[in-house]
Amino acid sequence: MPLKTNVMRILDSAKITYKTYDYSKSDVISGGDVANYLQQDPERVFKTLVTQAKSKEYYVFMVPVCCELDLKKAARAVGEKALEMIPQKELLKVTGYIHGGCSPIGMKKSYRLTVHQSAEKFKTIIFSAGKVGYQVELTPDDLSKIVPFELYDIVKDRNI
């Protein structure tokens, strides 16, 4: 029986259709390598990043694995003066996920989610299923049924 992550169980209970990818038997780590291994467009495979503002509020962002989060644009998107990436060692405590397995679905608490605007170009997007080695693919509309989000230009400039 294939592994079911908490993300998959949440999607199942909401009766949302999704596709899964398992690369757990590979030595792939980086988002770009995951996209290549899965033979998917790196602009359609998203990584989940967690930041903290001076206000101590946490914010979650999803950007294509081929892009870098622009912290200034991200701060503007959420109405903060500045944001910093949270230290990797705090990720588990804040989200319930470890580095490389962080998903916007099923975090310990609900945090405001902003997704790079390029997601609307795609019928489906791919992102972590909440465990290193597993990804899920679903429509942005279906993601919004589980975790409401806003679309915004939050990546460092490049032609995307």
Side-chain angles (χ1 to χ4, degrees):
M1 177 168 143
L3 177 117
K4 278 276 185 189
T5 67
N6 194 39
V7 169
M8 294 172 198
R9 285 189 283 278
I10 291 168
L11 292 170
D12 288 344
S13 68
K15 298 189 177 5
I16 290 177
T17 303
Y18 61 94
K19 181 176 179 182
T20 61
Y21 296 91
D22 177 348
Y23 61 96
S24 61
K25 303 230 183 320
S26 76
D27 58 358
V28 171
I29 297 173
S30 79
D33 290 344
V34 169
N36 288 336
Y37 184 84
L38 299 177
Q39 298 180 336
Q40 298 294 328
D41 179 349
E43 290 186 8
R44 199 167 71 93
V45 179
F46 283 68
K47 56 188 170 185
T48 305
L49 305 169
V50 183
T51 63
Q52 187 174 31
K54 297 254 187 274
S55 67
K56 300 296 180 205
E57 287 292 318
Y58 292 102
Y59 297 95
V60 179
F61 297 92
M62 289 177 66
V63 299
V65 296
C66 58
C67 297
E68 192 176 340
L69 180 67
D70 184 315
L71 289 169
K72 287 183 177 153
K73 288 180 180 180
R76 274 196 303 275
V78 296
E80 292 281 359
K81 285 188 165 100
L83 295 172
E84 291 182 356
M85 295 298 297
I86 68 168
Q88 194 172 315
K89 66 182 190 310
E90 288 181 28
L91 193 61
L92 181 61
K93 179 181 76 168
V94 172
T95 67
Y97 291 121
I98 62 167
H99 180 74
C102 190
S103 178
I105 298 173
M107 289 190 175
K108 282 183 171 183
K109 287 176 60 182
S110 292
Y111 300 109
R112 184 168 169 188
L113 174 63
T114 304
V115 178
H116 186 257
Q117 64 193 15
S118 65
E120 67 185 347
K121 301 192 305 195
F122 300 106
K123 185 174 187 235
T124 59
I125 59 172
I126 301 167
F127 55 91
S128 176
K131 184 170 175 62
V132 176
Y134 299 90
Q135 300 273 306
V136 290
E137 176 180 346
L138 61 148
T139 68
D141 280 348
D142 282 343
L143 173 60
S144 73
K145 292 173 188 171
I146 304 293
V147 185
F149 63 85
E150 300 162 320
L151 292 169
Y152 207 88
D153 176 15
I154 52 173
V155 299
K156 292 195 175 173
D157 284 334
R158 52 179 294 252
N159 295 324
I160 173 171

